[in-house]
Amino acid sequence: MPENQKESITQSLRDETAKTLVFFRELPSEQWTIPIYTSPHVWTIRDLIIHFVDTDPILRRVVQDILAGGPGAPENADVDGHNAEAVPRRREEFAAKSNTELIDLFESQRAKLITVVEGMSDADFERQGRHPLLGIMPLSELIRVIYLHNKAHQRDIRRALATFTAQRTN
């Protein structure tokens, strides 16, 4: 393991989580219903934070399974099928929650993952396991993928908001 990899990965996870929280907390409430994805399902900004709240505990369990000597995600994980079912179900489940409550719920879920990562040994980061979408990889990479997943969705939100703003000004 490269020198300070554990510290680097843990700090990156903390930093990217903080950026994600700021990003969502700064969004005006009227933007939360703007569609970000329209195919194969319509997902709004609110749906994306719901997606984060849904996936973070799943990915934490994948990490914990690998740490316990397991394979990680099941070999036949159907990520698209899960997302197609989970977001509408969770949208209903969280209908009474405010945007702020959803952000706080994501923060709570992510704090649990950070605690797991902080407790890992240097050797743990080299353990191999299965990510639900990307297959077998070391835990160091799997953890990076977790926060890069959020960054990718935030990039898509920024693009959609720029398009939305441009359309409104024309």
Side-chain angles (χ1 to χ4, degrees):
M1 168 186 252
E3 189 73 26
N4 295 319
Q5 183 178 8
K6 175 182 177 176
E7 292 81 10
S8 174
I9 292 169
T10 305
Q11 191 59 50
S12 293
L13 183 58
R14 281 190 212 105
D15 292 347
E16 291 304 325
T17 299
K19 289 176 187 175
T20 297
L21 293 168
V22 168
F23 177 81
F24 279 97
R25 286 182 175 136
E26 289 181 348
L27 287 170
S29 59
E30 64 272 8
Q31 293 181 339
W32 281 69
T33 57
I34 294 172
I36 304 306
Y37 305 118
T38 56
S39 178
H41 310 282
V42 175
W43 279 15
T44 65
I45 293 173
R46 182 173 169 89
D47 292 329
L48 281 168
I49 196 73
I50 288 170
H51 172 62
F52 291 178
V53 168
D54 179 68
T55 57
D56 232 60
I58 293 167
L59 293 170
R60 183 180 71 248
R61 286 191 298 273
V62 166
V63 169
Q64 290 170 315
D65 185 70
I66 296 166
L67 289 170
E75 195 168 345
N76 59 350
D78 179 7
V79 173
D80 292 334
H82 171 82
N83 288 338
E85 178 276 328
V87 169
R89 177 178 44 79
R90 303 294 299 248
R91 186 187 296 139
E92 244 181 74
E93 179 184 336
F94 295 140
K97 290 202 179 293
S98 70
N99 297 337
T100 300
E101 288 172 315
L102 289 172
I103 296 166
D104 292 345
L105 188 53
F106 167 70
E107 182 176 26
S108 169
Q109 293 292 355
R110 182 51 61 89
K112 293 174 185 176
L113 173 63
I114 291 170
T115 298
V116 169
V117 172
E118 288 171 336
M120 291 170 57
S121 71
D122 290 345
D124 287 336
F125 287 91
E126 299 309 316
R127 289 177 183 249
Q128 297 281 318
R130 188 176 299 103
H131 180 278
L133 183 64
L134 302 175
I136 303 293
M137 62 181 59
L139 267 175
S140 60
E141 290 304 312
L142 196 148
I143 293 163
R144 284 186 179 108
V145 167
I146 291 171
Y147 63 76
L148 291 174
H149 167 250
N150 293 28
K151 284 180 73 165
H153 284 306
Q154 289 169 55
R155 179 199 63 218
D156 294 344
I157 291 170
R158 284 185 186 95
R159 288 179 182 161
L161 290 176
T163 301
F164 178 78
T165 301
Q167 289 172 345
R168 286 184 51 192
T169 58
N170 290 335

